Amino acid sequence: ELLGKHPLFREENIKKEVDQMTQKQLVNFTSSSVKYFHDQKNQLEKYKDDADKLAEINMRIELREYKLALVNSKLGINAGEKK
């Protein structure tokens, strides 16, 4: 369980999770990501004076961006396309 917290293992776990997602789950994840990133941006502003909290929020954003890139790839969506 401790190994799951290391960034390398986290990425592997995310890859496995995305591989097991259904088409509906992939689409829902993509759709919910817009609100997620908006909310996290608000959190960054709220905790702008708390370095530890900022680091935690930034890590969550990075992991979500990584997972979203995998989801988009699986869906065949080009990350450079505008919706």
Side-chain angles (χ1 to χ4, degrees), residues 65 68-70 72-73 76-83:
E65 287 173 340
L68 182 59
L70 293 175
N72 285 340
S73 176
I77 298 172
N78 184 348
E81 290 179 359
K82 295 282 184 191
K83 291 184 178 178

Side-chain angles (χ1 to χ4, degrees), residues 15-35:
K15 285 179 185 177
K16 288 177 188 174
E17 187 179 332
V18 170
D19 285 342
Q20 296 173 354
M21 292 172 80
T22 65
Q23 186 77 9
K24 183 177 181 179
Q25 289 171 322
L26 294 167
V27 171
N28 287 344
F29 183 84
T30 302
S31 299
S32 68
S33 291
V34 175
K35 181 177 179 346

Side-chain angles (χ1 to χ4, degrees), residues 37-83:
F37 289 125
H38 177 74
D39 292 346
Q40 293 308 303
K41 182 179 175 188
N42 290 339
Q43 291 294 308
L44 287 172
E45 185 62 30
K46 181 178 178 180
Y47 293 105
K48 64 183 173 192
D49 296 327
D50 184 341
D52 290 338
K53 192 71 172 172
L54 286 176
E56 179 185 324
I57 295 167
N58 280 317
M59 177 58 69
R60 286 195 309 252
I61 290 171
E62 285 180 33
L63 290 173
R64 181 72 174 221
E65 287 173 340
Y66 177 73
K67 186 172 181 179
L68 182 59
L70 293 175
V71 166
N72 285 340
S73 176
K74 190 169 180 181
L75 287 171
I77 298 172
N78 184 348
E81 290 179 359
K82 295 282 184 191
K83 291 184 178 178

